[in-house]
Amino acid sequence: MLKDYVFTSESVNEGHPDKVCDQISDAILDGFLAADPDSRVACEALIKTGLVVIAGEITSRGRVEFGEVAKEVIRDIGYVSPETGFSCDTCAIVTAIERQSLDISQGVTAGDGKEQGAGDQGMMFGFACDETKEYMPFAIYTAHRIGQRLAEARKSNLLPFLRPDGKCQVSVEYRDGSPVRAHTVVVSSQHTPDVPNGTLKEAIVEEVVKKVVPPEFLDKSTVYYINPTGRFVEGGPKGDCGLTGRKIIVDTYGGYGRHGGGAFSGKDPSKVDRSAAYMARYIAKNLVAAELARRCEIQVAYAIGIADPVSVAVDTFGTGCLPDERIATIVRDLFDLKPASIIATLGLKRPIYRRTASYGHFGREADGQHFTWERTDRVNDLRAAAGLGRAAGR
């Protein structure tokens, strides 16, 4: 395993067209779950200049006004006038919604002695490491915080020349396997046409990057690329078509660890693409917090309609205090990975998903509260199963 290297991760702002779509899809999901917790939702959005298309399969006892929800999301993000290239008040809304396929429903719905099965086949991954107190890789965690700070500076009028679209990228230098400094920071932010490029660069470095990246990770050799093309006025859906589910690496671990390929947003928790990925993160985080490993990746895999996973694997990348095979046995013994149990354990039939749809699904709080999959409440159970003492302070 490499010890000295530079690793890069990217985040995109809430105003990035793909992220706008993720938030619309998850806001619609939240609306249905609020009305009917048993709703089955697979909802995607596409946006382009002046247009929002909402499509998918939904079965629910509830009702949601798709257009109103979409416009509320767009308004909250900040696309409120034609000057930004997109407006919540003038965009057209097109919907193409059908009910969930009966072929899928019969494999997923519990009843007549049958357990709830997985909503699809596939493999899901969860990851955690000890690089940050949130048990996230330093690069993606920092990139998300830069994006959040950009939005805060825009919405508070600290930097009134910023507009909603943007993205950032952080390259981190590792020595002996640990992050030691920010090698390169790239920020591209949509802006008003009248702000001088020098003013924009200085403001983003001083009021955004240096407010987020710990000072010990910045030095005179850190490279900053701020709007490296020199101009980013035309952005949002006018500059780039957006689509739900196109930022799966941004949503997870920034490329640090593997990905099964399934997107999250717009999917109710019967879809293991989402719920099992959350559960795998929950398990991995608890294993690292329990000091069974410094770095841990969990893989689970399912067949559609079948409750039990077809496989569970653990990889600690040589950092485990026990063999990976032994840790995998402990995981299978302590955690019920059937879809219904995952949903109950993490309380997933709630309208919590719009908050997940920007700045990462993992390693952060939502409205002051940790997402349930970010809890570390199984640490002592894991340590006991591994033959270790109770963790200090627990």
Side-chain angles (χ1 to χ4, degrees):
M1 186 168 59
L2 288 174
K3 295 291 185 180
D4 300 325
Y5 56 96
V6 175
F7 190 87
T8 302
S9 291
E10 177 198 41
S11 180
V12 299
N13 295 8
E14 63 198 61
H16 185 284
D18 292 334
K19 275 290 136 202
V20 175
C21 290
D22 286 344
Q23 291 166 86
I24 290 172
S25 294
D26 273 337
I28 290 169
L29 169 62
D30 280 351
F32 278 107
L33 290 177
D36 175 12
D38 294 321
S39 296
R40 295 285 168 77
V41 179
C43 178
E44 300 186 21
L46 177 147
I47 58 174
K48 188 51 187 161
T49 310
L51 176 66
V52 179
V53 178
I54 299 168
E57 299 78 44
I58 298 174
T59 300
S60 176
R61 294 186 295 268
R63 182 177 177 181
V64 169
E65 294 294 335
F66 298 102
E68 291 305 311
V69 170
K71 290 183 177 184
E72 179 185 1
V73 170
I74 295 164
R75 181 178 295 109
D76 288 349
I77 291 168
Y79 288 114
V80 294
S81 74
E83 292 179 356
T84 62
F86 195 74
S87 174
C88 58
D89 295 320
T90 59
C91 61
I93 309 291
V94 177
T95 61
I97 301 293
E98 298 179 350
R99 294 177 61 84
Q100 183 183 60
S101 161
L102 293 177
D103 295 340
I104 295 175
S105 180
Q106 71 177 0
V108 177
T109 303
D112 296 327
K114 177 183 177 298
E115 293 183 280
Q116 178 177 338
D120 202 353
Q121 70 179 48
M123 63 282 191
M124 300 84 209
F125 291 91
F127 183 83
C129 62
D130 62 1
E131 293 180 11
T132 64
K133 64 182 179 61
E134 293 79 11
Y135 299 95
M136 288 289 287
F138 184 83
I140 186 64
Y141 179 79
T142 304
H144 284 323
R145 301 294 80 77
I146 290 173
Q148 284 183 303
R149 176 67 179 174
L150 275 172
E152 292 165 3
R154 170 175 59 87
K155 292 179 177 181
S156 69
N157 281 323
L158 175 65
L159 303 180
F161 44 79
L162 296 181
R163 285 179 172 170
D165 198 358
K167 55 174 62 176
C168 52
Q169 183 173 285
V170 178
S171 301
V172 178
E173 183 176 333
Y174 284 74
R175 294 178 194 157
D176 197 26
S178 296
V180 296
R181 62 180 293 270
H183 180 281
T184 303
V185 179
V186 183
V187 180
S188 294
S189 178
Q190 187 186 14
H191 58 85
T192 59
D194 55 344
V195 61
N197 190 256
T199 300
L200 179 78
K201 287 183 177 180
E202 181 180 4
I204 289 179
V205 170
E206 296 298 325
E207 295 295 338
V208 177
V209 177
K210 289 186 177 180
K211 298 295 185 182
V212 170
V213 182
E216 63 270 23
F217 281 82
L218 298 172
D219 57 33
K220 62 182 181 181
S221 298
T222 299
V223 177
Y224 301 97
Y225 291 119
I226 310 299
N227 281 24
T229 68
R231 181 178 169 87
F232 187 2
V233 172
E234 186 174 287
K238 183 178 181 181
D240 188 13
C241 178
L243 184 66
T244 298
R246 205 157 49 179
K247 288 291 178 284
I248 59 177
I249 300 302
V250 171
D251 284 344
T252 52
Y253 309 101
Y256 214 110
R258 287 165 280 200
H259 197 293
F264 299 156
S265 290
K267 296 178 180 178
D268 76 83
S270 73
K271 280 74 171 173
V272 284
D273 275 344
R274 183 169 220 159
S275 55
Y278 288 176
M279 190 68 175
R281 161 65 179 175
Y282 174 58
I283 296 169
K285 184 174 181 178
N286 274 271
L287 284 166
V288 176
E291 299 181 342
L292 269 69
R294 293 190 59 202
R295 184 180 302 167
C296 182
E297 182 180 80
I298 306 292
Q299 187 207 52
V300 291
Y302 292 87
I304 188 169
I306 306 300
D308 286 304
V310 298
S311 67
V312 180
V314 175
D315 189 348
T316 64
F317 306 93
T319 70
C321 68
L322 298 172
D324 289 352
E325 295 81 0
R326 172 59 181 149
I327 296 176
T329 298
I330 291 172
V331 167
R332 286 190 290 267
D333 289 344
L334 289 184
F335 295 93
D336 189 340
L337 294 172
K338 295 177 181 178
S341 296
I342 291 173
I343 291 168
T345 297
L346 300 181
L348 297 180
K349 288 187 176 183
R350 298 175 293 135
I352 58 174
Y353 296 103
R354 181 180 169 185
R355 291 175 289 167
T356 70
S358 51
Y359 309 116
H361 293 244
F362 307 123
R364 67 185 184 92
E365 295 182 353
D367 298 339
Q369 300 294 320
H370 282 293
F371 294 129
T372 52
W373 51 92
E374 294 296 314
R375 298 178 308 199
T376 54
D377 55 351
R378 301 301 303 274
V379 165
N380 284 318
D381 295 335
L382 286 163
R383 289 181 65 85
L388 305 175
R390 291 181 64 85
R394 292 181 180 269

